[in-house]
Amino acid sequence: MTEAITQGALVIPQLIVGLGNPEPKYEQTRHNIGFTAIDALSRAWQIPLVENPKFKGQFGEGTAPGGGKICLVKPLTYMNRSGKSVQAVISWYKLPPELVLVIYDDMDLPLGKTRLRLSGSAGGHNGMKSIVSHLSSHNFSRLRIGIGKPKGAANEDNTDTISHVLGRFSATETKLMTLVLEFVVECLELTLKQGVENAMNRCNSWSAY
């Protein structure tokens, strides 16, 4: 699966990972927006997800909008061990980290905003810390989905932070996130057709507001 890694100098991801926690109590929470995004991609691209013990997650493989092969995975290891699942997939397919794209929540981004990058730090996100550790690299693409900060809470208030990220979106926020997820599909289709760098301007200038 390592052929057609790039088109020219373009980075075309071959594995898209969405971060979240298993168990029904975490479904549709802000911290699980990565899982929700993978579900949206699975539906849009008609790539069924099935539990795969070898990959420690729900996994699907199919044809990407750009015509190449694409893998989708939702690690079922719990957030802070996400790297185990990602490492298992890339080891099996012999993929370099550069062909991985990770979708996850970001409190530092306002609700309704997305950010696509070729690389970067983990930024305090436990799932990303695990992936960086297991891949021994920061050089993989990431799409951050803004969930905003808890209203009126000090940045140092860990209790409010935990309640916020593990809480569910309000009815108004859910409508907004529906638009965000539709755009995430569009953004990633553009990424797979034109490469991460060419998609960044579109994905980073968009807002659901």
Side-chain angles (χ1 to χ4, degrees):
M1 192 171 169
T2 54
E3 67 273 11
I5 287 177
T6 60
Q7 297 176 2
L10 301 180
V11 176
I12 310 290
Q14 292 188 3
L15 170 63
I16 301 178
V17 182
L19 300 188
N21 285 306
E23 291 191 70
K25 66 180 180 180
Y26 295 112
E27 289 178 4
Q28 304 303 315
T29 60
R30 295 179 179 90
H31 210 29
N32 268 36
I33 194 63
F35 273 15
T36 309
I38 291 292
D39 289 337
L41 296 174
S42 171
R43 290 190 298 270
W45 300 344
Q46 298 182 18
I47 300 176
L49 299 170
V50 297
E51 189 162 342
N52 186 315
K54 177 171 59 183
F55 296 151
K56 302 175 176 62
Q58 290 187 3
F59 177 83
E61 181 180 1
T63 303
K69 291 292 184 182
I70 190 70
C71 293
L72 305 176
V73 66
K74 294 162 58 177
L76 298 180
T77 53
Y78 288 93
M79 185 70 79
N80 61 358
R81 297 186 181 92
S82 299
K84 290 185 176 182
S85 175
V86 180
Q87 185 181 49
V89 178
I90 70 168
S91 294
W92 177 262
Y93 284 102
K94 297 180 172 58
L95 293 175
E98 291 80 9
L99 295 189
V100 177
L101 186 148
V102 183
I103 308 172
Y104 63 102
D105 59 295
D106 191 340
M107 281 204 312
D108 291 329
L109 274 180
L111 199 73
K113 293 290 288 182
T114 59
R115 285 289 183 274
L116 179 66
R117 293 284 185 269
L118 274 169
S119 62
S121 70
H125 193 284
N126 288 334
M128 289 295 285
K129 287 179 181 177
S130 175
I131 294 173
V132 168
S133 175
H134 279 81
L135 302 191
S136 299
S137 175
H138 290 85
N139 293 324
F140 54 89
S141 303
R142 65 282 314 275
L143 178 64
R144 295 179 288 142
I145 299 177
I147 61 169
K149 294 183 183 293
K151 293 181 179 179
N155 291 339
E156 297 79 12
D157 193 331
N158 194 49
T159 302
D160 281 347
T161 296
I162 293 172
S163 297
H164 180 69
V165 298
L166 295 183
R168 288 180 170 83
F169 295 105
S170 68
T172 300
E173 290 172 337
T174 297
K175 291 180 181 179
L176 186 68
M177 292 310 296
T178 298
L179 298 177
V180 171
L181 290 166
E182 289 175 356
F183 177 72
V184 164
V185 173
E186 176 189 328
C187 173
L188 289 173
E189 289 181 352
L190 184 63
T191 297
L192 295 178
K193 292 174 182 176
Q194 299 185 12
V196 176
E197 289 182 294
N198 287 333
M200 282 170 54
N201 184 58
R202 168 68 178 141
C203 296
N204 297 341
S205 61
W206 181 86
S207 175
Y209 290 100

